[in-house]
């Protein structure tokens, strides 16, 4: 029984690691005002991301559920708020297709979605 539990746990772990987590949906725990006006906001330690980093980049409006005024559309949230990773330094990740490594200023280099 213990062996089957270990195998099941390992199988679930492997399944959870399939695919690239960059681009997965997330929502920052606290969304500062500047993240709602097109500025870049990075939340490190995000429990929603396998990479532990959630970015809001170029988002206009409030992405929080239940927003009643000045809200971002679902499509805008999907395009502008997502899991990312640092793509510079010793623990750098490789950006997947559709993403580029871009300097976000004082925040450093992160994989950001290429938008038309």
């Amino acid at each position: 029984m213990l062996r089957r539990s270990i195998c099941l746990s390992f199988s679930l772990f492997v399944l959870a690691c399939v695919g690239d987590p960059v681009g997965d949906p997330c929502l920052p725990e606290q969304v500062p005002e500047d993240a709602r006006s097109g500025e870049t906001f990075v939340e490190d330690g995000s429990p929603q991301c396998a990479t532990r980093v959630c970015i809001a980049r170029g988002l206009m409006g409030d992405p929080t559920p239940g927003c009643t005024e000045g809200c971002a559309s679902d499509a805008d949230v999907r395009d502008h708020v997502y899991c990312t990773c640092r793509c510079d330094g010793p623990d750098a990740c490789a950006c997947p297709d559709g993403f580029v490594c871009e300097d976000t200023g004082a925040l450093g280099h992160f994989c950001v979605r290429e938008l038309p």
Side-chain angles (χ1 to χ4, degrees), residues 46-106:
S46 174
Q48 300 170 33
C49 298
T51 62
R52 308 296 290 164
V53 182
C54 181
I55 191 169
R57 182 167 174 82
L59 180 69
M60 299 299 285
D62 185 352
T64 55
C67 171
T68 57
E69 190 175 314
C71 308
S73 71
D74 290 342
D76 283 344
V77 172
R78 198 171 35 256
D79 288 343
H80 297 279
V81 185
Y82 47 86
C83 297
T84 187
C85 61
R86 187 175 291 282
C87 52
D88 66 345
D91 295 326
C93 68
C95 298
D97 289 343
F99 290 81
V100 294
C101 184
E102 192 169 298
D103 185 358
T104 60

